[in-house]
Amino acid sequence: MSRTPQGQRASLDKQPHEVAAMFDGVAARYDLTNTVLSFGQDRAWRRSTRAALALRPGERVLDVGAGTGVSTEELAQSGAYAVGADLSLGMLYAGKRTRPAVPLLAGDALRLPFADASFDAVTISFALRNVNDTDAALRELARVTRPGGRLVVCEFSTPVNPAFRTVYLSYLMRSLPVVARTVSSNPDAYVYLAESIRAWPDQSALAARVAAAGWGRVAWRNLTGGVVALHRAVRD
Ligand SMILES: C[S@@+](CC[C@H](N)C(=O)[O-])C[C@H]1O[C@@H](n2cnc3c(N)ncnc32)[C@H](O)[C@@H]1O
């Protein structure tokens, strides 16, 4: 764990206690910081995630790494029963305060507190990148999903246009930490954000890992030119 006068950030080996402590530190202003740093795009990305899941009223959907429940709340708009799970009690408490109606519980993506085949759909938004064993998390998501159930992973990815990619990477490494200093309760966490995005597999590499974890019909769609990608799959 790195510490500075402003706060703390996880290292890229993503030990769960470090990740949880880092998110505890950003929880108070998480929703606002996200919207500022993404220029308001986060709302559109969440709507696209809900659409990709094609939820029907009465279905059960699990949102892993739900944080403050901002992604879970969006899913509930479909009429499905949406429940969120997260490792950071700070994020969960912030969510309980701001979204008391959203069901949120403590749970680790690597050991979800649910029986096999409990859900019609599972999703994970901007959280898979933070789990220290990506492949084990994808297998655990498959375990709690019924056969034929759906997965959508919403995660930062690799912009497809080379010129845009250069501008974006410069924003990520130089401007984003500066902007975060003015809005976030733990700006150092946003240095980790930039580093972890750069180290994350691109669209096709992530698709291969989803397929290897027990998911079929894997496909992806780029949002905002590939700043974010939605990976879809169906439980074999
Ligand atoms: C960037 S936030 C995303 C929150 C929300 N899904 C959203 O779309 O804004 C990432 C969340 O993943 C959680 N997280 C990281 N590792 C986790 C794990 N192993 N199990 C469950 N949650 C985890 C963190 O605590 C954090 O709340």
Side-chain angles (χ1 to χ4, degrees):
M1 171 82 72
S2 305
R3 285 171 197 282
T4 72
Q6 286 94 13
Q8 51 197 12
R9 69 175 195 254
S11 47
L12 284 181
D13 65 358
K14 303 169 190 178
Q15 291 305 309
H17 64 284
E18 294 188 353
V19 170
M22 180 181 71
F23 279 101
D24 288 348
V26 299
R29 306 189 77 184
Y30 175 81
D31 294 349
L32 169 73
T33 308
N34 252 358
T35 300
V36 171
L37 294 180
S38 71
F39 304 101
Q41 290 294 300
D42 61 323
R43 295 186 179 129
W45 297 336
R46 293 184 203 294
R47 280 197 298 275
S48 298
T49 301
R50 169 162 61 85
L53 281 161
L55 296 165
R56 290 180 287 273
E59 283 194 319
R60 283 171 299 184
V61 57
L62 174 65
D63 182 23
V64 176
T68 59
V70 59
S71 45
T72 322
E73 184 175 54
E74 174 67 41
L75 302 175
Q77 301 230 5
S78 61
Y81 177 71
V83 58
D86 201 281
L87 203 59
S88 156
L89 292 181
M91 292 288 269
L92 292 168
Y93 285 135
K96 281 283 168 206
R97 273 195 305 277
T98 51
R99 302 182 178 85
V102 175
L104 293 174
L105 52 88
D108 184 347
L110 299 176
R111 284 175 71 101
L112 291 167
F114 297 103
D116 295 358
S118 300
F119 292 92
D120 300 294
V122 292
T123 185
I124 180 163
S125 295
F126 307 110
L128 187 59
R129 182 176 31 83
N130 301 308
V131 179
N132 73 347
D133 189 337
T134 307
D135 306 305
L138 289 166
R139 287 194 298 273
E140 181 67 350
L141 287 167
R143 182 187 68 76
V144 299
T145 307
R146 67 163 168 81
R150 293 96 65 199
L151 165 73
V152 172
V153 177
C154 173
E155 191 50 88
F156 291 110
S157 198
T158 304
V160 280
N161 177 296
F164 177 54
R165 188 161 61 233
T166 305
V167 173
Y168 169 70
L169 285 177
S170 159
Y171 166 70
L172 209 56
M173 302 310 288
R174 292 184 200 163
S175 314
L176 183 141
V178 176
V179 181
R181 215 155 280 141
T182 67
V183 278
S184 173
S185 44
N186 177 11
D188 258 33
Y190 291 83
V191 175
Y192 161 85
L193 171 72
E195 289 172 351
S196 65
I197 292 173
R198 276 187 61 150
W200 186 241
D202 69 9
Q203 288 85 335
S204 60
L206 181 60
R209 290 172 76 162
V210 173
W215 295 94
R217 289 158 52 189
V218 182
W220 75 83
R221 180 184 157 213
N222 290 317
L223 304 178
T224 318
V227 168
V228 166
L230 295 184
H231 283 74
R232 275 184 291 120
V234 176
R235 172 84 158 86
D236 284 338

